[in-house]
mmCIF file of all heavy atoms in Angstrom:
data_model
loop_
_atom_site.group_PDB
_atom_site.id
_atom_site.type_symbol
_atom_site.label_atom_id
_atom_site.label_comp_id
_atom_site.label_asym_id
_atom_site.label_seq_id
_atom_site.Cartn_x
_atom_site.Cartn_y
_atom_site.Cartn_z
ATOM 1 N N ASP B 93 -22.888 24.567 -14.968
ATOM 2 C CA ASP B 93 -23.071 25.990 -14.697
ATOM 3 C C ASP B 93 -23.585 26.166 -13.128
ATOM 4 O O ASP B 93 -24.226 25.239 -12.598
ATOM 5 C CB ASP B 93 -24.237 26.478 -15.529
ATOM 6 C CG ASP B 93 -23.775 26.594 -16.984
ATOM 7 O OD1 ASP B 93 -22.548 26.628 -17.250
ATOM 8 O OD2 ASP B 93 -24.507 26.539 -17.808
ATOM 9 N N VAL B 94 -23.275 27.377 -12.566
ATOM 10 C CA VAL B 94 -23.746 27.579 -11.259
ATOM 11 C C VAL B 94 -24.946 28.549 -11.422
ATOM 12 O O VAL B 94 -24.699 29.583 -12.098
ATOM 13 C CB VAL B 94 -22.618 28.201 -10.341
ATOM 14 C CG1 VAL B 94 -23.111 28.638 -8.997
ATOM 15 C CG2 VAL B 94 -21.564 27.138 -10.071
ATOM 16 N N GLU B 95 -26.019 28.271 -10.774
ATOM 17 C CA GLU B 95 -27.104 29.240 -10.683
ATOM 18 C C GLU B 95 -26.941 30.280 -9.607
ATOM 19 O O GLU B 95 -27.168 29.994 -8.415
ATOM 20 C CB GLU B 95 -28.452 28.480 -10.584
ATOM 21 C CG GLU B 95 -28.804 27.503 -11.595
ATOM 22 C CD GLU B 95 -28.890 28.126 -12.919
ATOM 23 O OE1 GLU B 95 -29.279 29.315 -12.974
ATOM 24 O OE2 GLU B 95 -28.622 27.459 -13.989
ATOM 25 N N MET B 96 -26.377 31.383 -9.908
ATOM 26 C CA MET B 96 -25.955 32.317 -8.858
ATOM 27 C C MET B 96 -25.892 33.618 -9.532
ATOM 28 O O MET B 96 -25.463 33.795 -10.603
ATOM 29 C CB MET B 96 -24.603 31.812 -8.255
ATOM 30 C CG MET B 96 -24.112 32.656 -7.182
ATOM 31 S SD MET B 96 -22.478 31.973 -6.679
ATOM 32 C CE MET B 96 -21.608 33.493 -6.466
ATOM 33 N N GLU B 97 -26.296 34.679 -8.709
ATOM 34 C CA GLU B 97 -26.164 36.103 -9.169
ATOM 35 C C GLU B 97 -24.738 36.449 -9.457
ATOM 36 O O GLU B 97 -23.845 35.972 -8.726
ATOM 37 C CB GLU B 97 -26.777 37.081 -8.221
ATOM 38 C CG GLU B 97 -28.209 36.853 -7.909
ATOM 39 C CD GLU B 97 -29.024 37.229 -9.097
ATOM 40 O OE1 GLU B 97 -28.838 38.356 -9.718
ATOM 41 O OE2 GLU B 97 -29.930 36.433 -9.581
ATOM 42 N N LEU B 98 -24.365 37.222 -10.439
ATOM 43 C CA LEU B 98 -23.109 37.658 -10.511
ATOM 44 C C LEU B 98 -22.701 38.582 -9.389
ATOM 45 O O LEU B 98 -23.573 39.294 -8.883
ATOM 46 C CB LEU B 98 -22.882 38.497 -11.903
ATOM 47 C CG LEU B 98 -23.176 37.765 -13.192
ATOM 48 C CD1 LEU B 98 -22.861 38.573 -14.362
ATOM 49 C CD2 LEU B 98 -22.118 36.544 -13.237
ATOM 50 N N LEU B 99 -21.544 38.511 -9.023
ATOM 51 C CA LEU B 99 -20.976 39.380 -7.898
ATOM 52 C C LEU B 99 -20.669 40.756 -8.360
ATOM 53 O O LEU B 99 -20.104 41.026 -9.272
ATOM 54 C CB LEU B 99 -19.699 38.801 -7.305
ATOM 55 C CG LEU B 99 -19.768 37.364 -6.758
ATOM 56 C CD1 LEU B 99 -18.469 36.829 -6.296
ATOM 57 C CD2 LEU B 99 -20.784 37.385 -5.483
ATOM 58 N N GLN B 100 -21.431 41.681 -7.645
ATOM 59 C CA GLN B 100 -21.334 43.095 -8.141
ATOM 60 C C GLN B 100 -20.237 43.977 -7.309
ATOM 61 O O GLN B 100 -20.036 43.640 -6.193
ATOM 62 C CB GLN B 100 -22.785 43.767 -7.844
ATOM 63 C CG GLN B 100 -23.871 43.100 -8.541
ATOM 64 C CD GLN B 100 -23.893 43.175 -9.968
ATOM 65 O OE1 GLN B 100 -23.307 44.144 -10.497
ATOM 66 N NE2 GLN B 100 -24.546 42.286 -10.763
ATOM 67 N N GLY B 101 -19.745 44.739 -8.076
ATOM 68 C CA GLY B 101 -18.798 45.713 -7.457
ATOM 69 C C GLY B 101 -17.362 45.245 -7.136
ATOM 70 O O GLY B 101 -16.526 45.987 -6.785
ATOM 71 N N LEU B 102 -17.095 43.967 -7.361
ATOM 72 C CA LEU B 102 -15.857 43.455 -6.997
ATOM 73 C C LEU B 102 -14.713 44.032 -7.927
ATOM 74 O O LEU B 102 -13.644 44.353 -7.418
ATOM 75 C CB LEU B 102 -15.792 41.884 -7.108
ATOM 76 C CG LEU B 102 -16.515 41.100 -6.075
ATOM 77 C CD1 LEU B 102 -16.290 39.618 -6.225
ATOM 78 C CD2 LEU B 102 -16.054 41.636 -4.669
ATOM 79 N N ASP B 103 -15.144 43.983 -9.201
ATOM 80 C CA ASP B 103 -14.126 44.589 -10.139
ATOM 81 C C ASP B 103 -13.673 45.928 -9.896
ATOM 82 O O ASP B 103 -12.488 46.242 -9.894
ATOM 83 C CB ASP B 103 -14.647 44.454 -11.603
ATOM 84 C CG ASP B 103 -15.022 43.038 -11.981
ATOM 85 O OD1 ASP B 103 -14.587 42.059 -11.248
ATOM 86 O OD2 ASP B 103 -15.714 42.798 -13.041
ATOM 87 N N GLU B 104 -14.653 46.790 -9.537
ATOM 88 C CA GLU B 104 -14.404 48.213 -9.234
ATOM 89 C C GLU B 104 -13.405 48.263 -7.911
ATOM 90 O O GLU B 104 -12.495 49.022 -7.905
ATOM 91 C CB GLU B 104 -15.683 49.054 -8.928
ATOM 92 C CG GLU B 104 -16.613 49.151 -10.127
ATOM 93 C CD GLU B 104 -17.232 47.797 -10.560
ATOM 94 O OE1 GLU B 104 -17.236 46.863 -9.823
ATOM 95 O OE2 GLU B 104 -17.831 47.857 -11.707
ATOM 96 N N GLN B 105 -13.809 47.427 -6.965
ATOM 97 C CA GLN B 105 -13.055 47.368 -5.753
ATOM 98 C C GLN B 105 -11.558 47.068 -5.961
ATOM 99 O O GLN B 105 -10.659 47.697 -5.557
ATOM 100 C CB GLN B 105 -13.740 46.325 -4.840
ATOM 101 C CG GLN B 105 -13.113 46.280 -3.432
ATOM 102 C CD GLN B 105 -13.857 45.096 -2.699
ATOM 103 O OE1 GLN B 105 -15.115 44.818 -2.927
ATOM 104 N NE2 GLN B 105 -13.232 44.465 -1.805
ATOM 105 N N VAL B 106 -11.381 45.998 -6.710
ATOM 106 C CA VAL B 106 -10.055 45.475 -7.151
ATOM 107 C C VAL B 106 -9.197 46.541 -7.993
ATOM 108 O O VAL B 106 -8.141 46.795 -7.857
ATOM 109 C CB VAL B 106 -10.028 44.139 -7.813
ATOM 110 C CG1 VAL B 106 -8.642 43.743 -8.268
ATOM 111 C CG2 VAL B 106 -10.566 43.093 -6.901
ATOM 112 N N ALA B 107 -9.989 47.231 -8.898
ATOM 113 C CA ALA B 107 -9.381 48.224 -9.794
ATOM 114 C C ALA B 107 -8.846 49.309 -8.895
ATOM 115 O O ALA B 107 -7.781 49.833 -9.054
ATOM 116 C CB ALA B 107 -10.449 48.754 -10.768
#
Side-chain angles (χ1 to χ4, degrees):
Chain B
D93 293 338
V94 173
E95 299 299 330
M96 180 180 141
E97 298 292 308
L98 294 183
L99 298 173
Q100 303 291 338
L102 288 186
D103 296 350
E104 294 73 10
Q105 183 183 330
V106 171

